[in-house]
Amino acid sequence: SGGLLYSEHEQMYEIGYNLNKSYWNKGLVTEATKAIIGFGFTHLHLKSIYATYAKDNTASGRVLEKLGFRVTGEGEYYSFDHTRSFQSIELILNNTDNR
């Protein structure tokens, strides 16, 4: 699954994705995330998209950085149901090239 969710805290849309482990390392997240970014910039006319990932999940970090996201800092990431928290890396992608 994946998509954009408006973050009240960041005052912008946040991208997120989740993939069953049996499908990891096949390029699916990269391709799906690229399509979500394109939709956000083209159809929603977003100027920026925010992302965060658990610090220990370096594969997610590589995907985001490969797609042009730049690290802006560190923080704390909560699971969707807020039952777990993780040290996180925060990133942003600006729509500077009118994708």
Side-chain angles (χ1 to χ4, degrees), residues 57-74:
N57 187 350
T58 56
S60 258
R62 284 192 303 274
V63 167
L64 293 168
E65 290 182 18
K66 182 186 331 182
L67 294 172
F69 282 81
R70 298 291 170 240
V71 174
T72 59
E74 296 185 8

Side-chain angles (χ1 to χ4, degrees), residues 30-62:
T30 301
E31 290 305 309
T33 303
K34 193 182 300 184
I36 294 167
I37 291 167
F39 178 82
F41 287 156
T42 303
H43 297 287
L44 299 178
H45 308 288
L46 302 179
K47 294 181 179 166
S48 300
I49 297 175
Y50 173 77
T52 186
Y53 68 92
K55 207 174 198 179
D56 293 337
N57 187 350
T58 56
S60 258
R62 284 192 303 274

